[in-house]
Amino acid sequence: MAMQQWLRRHPDVMVMQPVLEISAAEDFVLWPVGEHESYGYLVLNGELTPAEVGTVVIRIAAWNDFEPEEKHGQCPTDPLSAFLHGLLTMPDLFAAGDSG
């Protein structure tokens, strides 16, 4: 039975989906991103478009942007590598969002 049909038969069920807090990615040109209002949420599921996946990557990378530390190595100088440095070197990533 499809999820939508099951939910119609069980209206008191709460469905939880993970979401990522997003903001508008103005003037971002390193890869395609979706157009979103600032301080909204993007539902993380298997139906994301390529631009929405780009939005997820930019937000996770931005949340994990940090000043270079000795253990993470020197920050690269080219824009793409510098932007992704924290994402690629942090052992535990952080992303703001909600699960409800």
Side-chain angles (χ1 to χ4, degrees):
M1 174 183 319
M3 178 62 88
Q4 295 297 334
Q5 292 173 331
W6 189 86
L7 288 174
R8 279 193 289 271
R9 292 183 185 178
H10 301 87
D12 297 327
V13 172
M14 181 186 320
V15 177
M16 297 179 70
Q17 296 180 311
V19 296
L20 181 69
E21 184 178 319
I22 58 171
S23 59
E26 297 174 13
D27 302 326
F28 186 79
V29 296
L30 295 175
W31 60 78
V33 295
E35 294 184 23
H36 302 280
E37 293 183 23
S38 288
Y39 309 110
Y41 292 98
L42 179 62
V43 175
L44 302 178
N45 59 31
E47 298 176 7
L48 294 176
T49 66
E52 289 172 329
V53 171
T55 300
V56 169
V57 173
I58 187 177
R59 293 311 311 146
I60 294 173
W63 278 107
N64 292 279
D65 190 20
F66 63 93
E67 292 295 321
E69 296 177 12
E70 188 175 305
K71 64 181 177 180
H72 298 290
Q74 187 174 7
C75 191
T77 56
D78 69 282
L80 179 58
S81 295
F83 182 75
L84 295 176
H85 185 70
L87 181 67
L88 299 174
T89 61
M90 295 285 286
D92 298 311
L93 297 175
F94 171 79
D98 198 356
S99 61

